[in-house]
Amino acid sequence: MMKAKVHITLKTGVLDPQGKAISHALDSLGFDGIEDVRQGKYIEIRLAETDAETARSKVEAMCSRLLANPVIENYSIELE
Amino acid sequence: MKAAVIVFPGSNCDRDIAVALEACMGHAPAMVWHRDSELPDVDLIALPGGFSYGDYLRSGAMAVHSPAMREVVARAERGVAVLGICNGFQVLTESGLLPGALMRNRDLRFVCRDVWVRVETTDSVFTTGLQKGECMRFPVAHNDGSYFVDDTTLATLQDADRIAFRYVTPDGQVTDDANPNGSRAGIAGVLGPSRNVLGMMPHPERLVDEAQGGTDGRRFFEGLLNALETAR
């Protein structure tokens, strides 16, 4: 069995009002020196798969077909 | 003149569209459940507002993979008119029938009020019955209505005259204050490359009778249905 960890992040240049609100909230809690906050998604997938290459290509397909929207998001995949 | 309304789990404007279409067509549209892989032979397919599949993952993302939507995409590619309102617009961008994406509102608030939109093009079945530059009042009610496109796509949309509606002040000015959600270039509605697909965040189906407080929506639907009738 393998576990895929998928991080989905907003592309540069795409507005992230939620990230901005988090940044303001951290600021008002007294955390100084925050330059920027971007909010993303984290998805964990357990796969009945032993071959890392096959697992990766499966998860790649999942990302491009459903998990991420290529218009606004990037994704990265970690396998363990 | 026949129409179908696709109903997803979580749709909540499907009956409003059905009532609006029936008021303008004289007969009821077919209601098609998301699991149905066969659509009746229709001139217009409407994707209603609501929260299909609970807006899980991204608004509209799950609906794209329903059997009914696969058929909607095929029909759209064959030239059938497809109208997506609110969540329907989100489904259309997620499906790739329309460019761009609808993201969380600029002010992180659910916006529920009437807005003014300006008709930007009359070159489509949806808007041929309207006047270019005229302003119409429609309600909006959404959390994820901020329309995003990259610079290149925005230029393409402008050059090809594919922006259908922009948010404006009541006297027709595009301003930040008139833009309820932070959409790029104040875009409220956009056409597909073949002009037979329209996605819009405002809800014309909610203003089709004086009892609802206005009839701008009725004019929109009458114009669309007349154009489709003529094209038959």
Side-chain angles (χ1 to χ4, degrees), chain B residues 18-102:
Chain B
V19 168
L21 288 173
E22 183 165 1
C24 300
M25 289 194 302
H27 57 269
M31 304 304 278
V32 178
W33 184 231
H34 70 122
R35 286 221 182 95
D36 295 347
S37 52
E38 282 180 29
L39 284 181
D41 191 19
V42 292
D43 310 284
L44 172 70
I45 299 168
L47 305 179
F51 300 86
S52 59
Y53 304 86
D55 274 355
Y56 292 169
L57 193 64
R58 294 178 305 277
S59 305
M62 302 297 200
V64 171
H65 302 284
S66 62
M69 260 319 285
R70 268 179 232 134
E71 184 59 20
V72 170
V73 172
R75 294 285 178 96
E77 283 165 357
R78 295 211 302 266
V80 173
V82 177
L83 168 66
I85 297 171
C86 199
N87 187 226
F89 186 8
Q90 295 161 342
V91 174
L92 289 173
T93 56
E94 281 285 340
S95 73
L97 285 174
L98 293 176
L102 289 144

Side-chain angles (χ1 to χ4, degrees), chain A residues 10 14 17-18 21 41 65-69 71-73, chain B residues 57-58 61-62 65 94 100-101 103-106 108 148:
Chain A
L10 283 176
V14 174
Q18 295 179 101
K41 287 191 189 97
R65 288 194 58 200
L66 178 68
L67 302 181
N69 179 342
V71 176
I72 47 170
E73 294 168 329
Chain B
L57 193 64
R58 294 178 305 277
M62 302 297 200
H65 302 284
E94 281 285 340
M103 308 189 59
R104 187 55 44 92
N105 293 342
R106 172 190 54 203
L108 296 174
F148 172 82

Side-chain angles (χ1 to χ4, degrees), chain B residues 167-212:
Chain B
Y167 300 109
V168 290
T169 57
D171 61 343
Q173 306 303 310
V174 177
T175 67
D176 267 356
D177 285 347
N179 184 337
N181 49 35
S183 290
R184 276 210 86 179
I187 293 173
V190 72
L191 293 162
S194 304
R195 318 190 79 79
N196 63 316
V197 178
L198 170 68
M200 61 194 290
M201 286 314 290
H203 289 273
E205 79 280 13
R206 293 191 186 177
L207 279 184
V208 292
D209 190 293
E210 286 299 351
Q212 293 171 313

Side-chain angles (χ1 to χ4, degrees), chain B residues 105-124:
Chain B
N105 293 342
R106 172 190 54 203
D107 300 328
L108 296 174
R109 287 200 186 91
F110 189 95
V111 183
C112 183
R113 61 174 166 92
D114 285 2
V115 297
W116 287 88
V117 298
R118 190 176 69 197
V119 178
E120 300 292 291
T121 179
T122 53
D123 183 12
S124 76

